[in-house]
Amino acid sequence: QSVLTQPPSVSGAPGQRVTISCTGSSSNIGAGYDVHWYQQLPGTAPKLLMFGNSNRPSGVPDRFSGSKSGTSASLAITGLQAEDEADYYCQSYDGSLSGYVVFGGGTKLTVL
Amino acid sequence: QVQLVESGGGLVKPGGSLRLSCAASGFTFSDYYMSWIRQAPGKGLECVSHISSSGSTINYADSVKGRFTIYRDNAKKSLYLQMNSLRAEDTAVYYCARSQWGSDFDYWGQGTLVTVSS
């Protein structure tokens, strides 16, 4: 059971918009810790997709956007493309846990 | 360019030990927190341990506390994870990743597979 809750799967047709939610609590996202997002293509290491809730690293298309409100965060992908099919993870910090770093359970995005 | 290269994974029997290494290049290693993050087959990500830039602050996930030890050698630009009393549930790909405290993991290694099985 992950500290941050994500839907196991989402899907959409090419060109459509999808969102992936990440729900936490008052000890992590709600405590003010930033949320970061990672994309993991099959058989590869995770890659940073979004940092500081809504900032894209260089090279990440502006089709990807992030937001945070209260104890939740969201990743939105517009103009869905086949190459977006991957696993997506949110990550934050939790002051109540000894390890501090927390991840969501991951969301499998399928492009129909 | 930033590179993180893990090594040391392999097959080990339950109760055995293994030491993972992560060689860093392309950045000032001593400026960054470093972490070991694992992914069991078909599962999500778990940060097992992280260490501050100087090595003075270390944290472990409850699942590995007392069994794993993280350390670094800034002169050699290397990160290590000593894993003792290994269990089947420690089977995973282990990634090293860099960050700043409270921030994102902006670079990851390619991972090294640890399999614990008799």
Side-chain angles (χ1 to χ4, degrees), chain A residues 93-107:
Chain A
Y93 285 75
D94 192 306
S96 71
L97 300 175
S98 61
Y100 290 105
V101 178
V102 290
F103 284 96
T107 299

Side-chain angles (χ1 to χ4, degrees), chain A residues 21-92:
Chain A
S21 61
C22 175
T23 303
S25 67
S26 58
S27 63
N28 42 68
I29 298 175
Y33 291 105
D34 285 340
V35 178
H36 319 291
W37 292 89
Y38 303 87
Q39 178 192 59
Q40 186 176 33
L41 298 171
T44 69
K47 167 194 155 187
L48 180 65
L49 188 69
M50 195 75 55
F51 66 94
N53 306 314
S54 58
N55 300 288
R56 288 185 307 276
S58 173
V60 174
D62 59 6
R63 301 186 295 104
F64 294 88
S65 62
S67 64
K68 172 189 160 183
S69 178
T71 59
S72 296
S74 288
L75 175 72
I77 311 171
T78 58
L80 210 54
Q81 298 180 4
E83 67 206 48
D84 299 332
E85 188 160 293
D87 293 323
Y88 293 83
Y89 294 90
C90 61
Q91 176 251 314
S92 187

